[in-house]
Amino acid sequence: MLSSQRLRVLREVFRTGSIAGAARVLRLSPSAVSHQLSKLEEEAGVGLVERGAQSLRLTAAGRRLARRAQEVLDIIEAAEKDLLAQARADAGQLRIGFFASAGYRLLPLALSTFTARHPAVDLDLVLGQPHELLPDLERGALDVLVVFEHALDPWKPPDGVEVTHLFDEPQLLVVPPGHPAGQRPRVRLADLAEEPWITTFGTDTPVSVLERASALEGFSPTIRCRSDHYEVTLGLVRAGLGVALVPSLGAQGATGIQVCRLDGPRLYRRIGAATRPTNPNPALRSFIDYLRDASAQIRNALR
């Protein structure tokens, strides 16, 4: 393994044309420069310098390595600058994974203030389901992953991953305009047992949260369509093709539908931020603070 410090010595000998010149640039004694060159020759296993009584010149191998040394030192310098940027919360890169309905309001709300305070941080935003993106978080391809957990379908984070709870998000019943359920302050799922339903896919099993909740209410829903995209779900409900159970984030700002509060046990999602506690990225800590602030605003609005 060649020493980067000795490569720097070789580069200066090549640039200045002498040991004395390199010693002045590097602020070393000529004997120290000569010693470093000898050590570099041992590491390289080939002669790099031809020493005469009153002169010194690099061999062909020495000149070739000196040119390569400049390339190596440029790479090291660039890496050091990257590390310095990453050590500052107002620079570097932040890689964020998030699920679709978190991208409607929660993430934009957090990022609008974060980017205003830290405009030099390079953001990499990755959309996907939490269970799909969790391996990327584990291997370091993501710094943070916004996740959800249904109370009726809990999961445990893997070793090395920690979840910071942000807020609990109620599930809402979504019905077409003019539906009788829309005139009532609270509705039970069993009141709509005969309706066609639009629901999601399960996470690790084919059973959705709607089906788990319906089982507790004593009925099996008729599923007309499954979609993990709430725009599709709301469009089908708007067209009168069924009713749906939708988390609050997924129904925010939707028009042409009626939203009903549900009377039932454990019909909510826990929203959190999954991170690796060992991740040293300082921009991450700052972003989590803004994510908490945004969550507090949404939590207050949901009340």
Side-chain angles (χ1 to χ4, degrees):
M1 182 68 69
L2 300 178
S3 161
S4 60
Q5 180 58 37
R6 290 171 188 144
L7 287 175
R8 189 171 280 109
V9 168
L10 179 66
R11 179 192 64 180
E12 295 304 330
V13 170
F14 178 65
R15 286 174 56 189
T16 62
S18 69
I19 286 180
R24 282 193 300 272
V25 171
L26 298 170
R27 297 183 180 179
L28 297 172
S29 67
S31 61
V33 170
S34 182
H35 177 72
Q36 291 296 315
L37 286 176
S38 297
K39 285 292 186 181
L40 184 60
E41 285 181 312
E42 292 177 13
E43 292 173 349
V46 64
L48 303 174
V49 177
E50 292 181 5
R51 293 176 174 86
Q54 301 295 327
S55 64
L56 172 146
R57 66 180 184 140
L58 298 182
T59 64
R63 291 192 298 273
R64 186 177 181 86
L65 182 58
R67 295 188 185 97
R68 289 290 188 184
Q70 184 62 61
E71 298 174 16
V72 171
L73 294 170
D74 286 344
I75 293 172
I76 292 174
E77 183 180 356
E80 289 172 344
K81 287 180 179 178
D82 285 344
L83 290 173
L84 181 61
Q86 287 290 345
R88 300 169 52 193
D90 60 347
Q93 184 183 45
L94 187 64
R95 300 157 298 179
I96 304 169
F98 65 101
F99 58 94
S101 54
Y104 295 168
R105 183 153 185 254
L106 174 61
L107 197 61
L109 195 59
L111 286 177
S112 63
T113 51
F114 176 82
T115 54
R117 298 287 180 86
H118 306 291
V121 174
D122 181 25
L123 295 177
D124 184 10
L125 306 179
V126 182
L127 174 64
Q129 291 283 22
H131 67 278
E132 297 170 343
L133 297 180
L134 196 55
D136 291 339
L137 179 71
E138 291 182 89
R139 65 185 177 86
L142 291 175
D143 292 302
V144 58
L145 175 60
V146 183
V147 298
F148 63 79
E149 175 190 28
H150 290 284
L152 293 177
D153 188 15
W155 62 279
K156 182 180 179 182
D159 291 341
V161 172
E162 189 176 84
V163 177
T164 300
H165 178 259
L166 297 173
F167 64 97
D168 290 338
E169 172 198 21
Q171 297 272 3
L172 302 173
L173 176 67
V174 180
V175 299
H179 193 286
Q183 310 305 314
R184 296 158 59 184
R186 286 191 175 270
V187 183
R188 295 193 70 89
L189 288 181
D191 297 339
L192 289 89
E194 303 303 318
E195 299 272 357
W197 286 83
I198 317 298
T199 191
T200 60
F201 296 95
T203 302
D204 295 323
T205 70
V207 182
S208 67
V209 169
L210 167 69
E211 291 162 294
R212 293 173 188 268
S214 298
L216 294 176
E217 293 280 301
F219 75 98
S220 178
T222 300
I223 307 299
R224 176 161 281 175
C225 179
R226 293 181 187 269
S227 173
D228 284 329
H229 300 283
Y230 291 121
E231 299 95 333
V232 174
T233 298
L234 296 176
L236 293 174
V237 171
R238 192 178 291 116
L241 297 174
V243 297
L245 191 63
V246 175
S248 300
L249 289 177
Q252 280 194 338
T255 59
I257 57 168
Q258 288 183 284
V259 176
C260 312
R261 291 282 179 175
L262 282 164
D263 186 7
R266 297 189 294 172
L267 291 176
Y268 64 90
R269 296 195 303 187
R270 298 184 188 94
I271 308 301
T275 57
R276 302 182 317 280
T278 55
N279 187 344
N281 189 343
L284 173 61
R285 295 188 290 273
S286 180
F287 172 71
I288 294 296
D289 288 339
Y290 288 107
L291 195 59
R292 283 197 182 100
D293 291 343
S295 298
Q297 293 181 51
I298 290 178
R299 184 169 58 246
N300 292 334
L302 292 177
R303 288 173 182 167

